Amino acid sequence: MSTLFVNTIYPDSGSSVSISGSLIISQSLIVADNITMSGSIRLGDSNTDSISLTAEISSSVIPDATITYDLGTTAKQWNKLHVANITASDNISSSGTVYGAVGQFDELSLPPFTSITASGGISATSFVGDGSQ
């Protein structure tokens, strides 16, 4: 492999510089305008690398395969999720308290408990239990 040291590259004709083969950059790459990439794109090569986004995302973020990839882990969790709607086809679980202004359920199953405490009223069209309390 040979090395070429240049300060500026200008196209010979037209408005493009074509490189056939690999381009290896050993320091920073600064691009002053738009970037269009095709094919598979890998950012980083270890879990100590990081990606920082200052811009806003202007498209959907869709996984390559369904029910395959996670967003966060038990060790590295996202802090807050601000969304308009949540749609799930399986369980939604929480190890903490779930807060909401209004709750609507087709069915609500709770584990056995000895008391319910509320600062306001509790209402339902029916309460079902074994009748012992």
Side-chain angles (χ1 to χ4, degrees):
M1 181 167 110
S2 60
T3 304
L4 173 65
F5 296 97
V6 296
N7 288 327
T8 306
I9 297 175
Y10 293 104
D12 187 27
S13 64
S15 61
S16 297
V17 174
S18 296
I19 298 172
S20 60
S22 297
L23 173 63
I24 298 171
I25 300 171
S26 62
Q27 292 189 16
S28 298
L29 172 65
I30 298 171
V31 179
D33 207 347
N34 298 327
I35 297 174
T36 300
M37 297 182 186
S38 60
S40 296
I41 299 168
R42 179 183 299 178
L43 301 173
D45 60 359
S46 74
N47 66 356
T48 57
D49 295 337
S50 65
I51 298 169
S52 176
L53 298 174
T54 302
E56 297 177 348
I57 306 297
S58 60
S59 66
S60 297
V61 179
I62 302 170
D64 184 52
T66 189
I67 310 174
T68 303
Y69 304 105
D70 298 328
L71 184 60
T73 66
T74 55
K76 292 186 176 183
Q77 300 175 2
W78 293 97
N79 186 32
K80 293 181 180 179
L81 182 63
H82 300 270
V83 297
N85 295 295
I86 295 176
T87 302
S89 60
D90 206 343
N91 296 331
I92 297 176
S93 63
S94 171
S95 60
T97 303
V98 177
Y99 295 96
V102 175
Q104 291 181 310
F105 304 93
D106 291 332
E107 180 180 326
L108 177 62
S109 299
L110 300 171
F113 49 85
T114 58
S115 65
I116 297 175
T117 304
S119 60
I122 298 174
S123 63
T125 55
S126 67
F127 290 97
V128 178
D130 65 6
S132 65
Q133 297 194 25

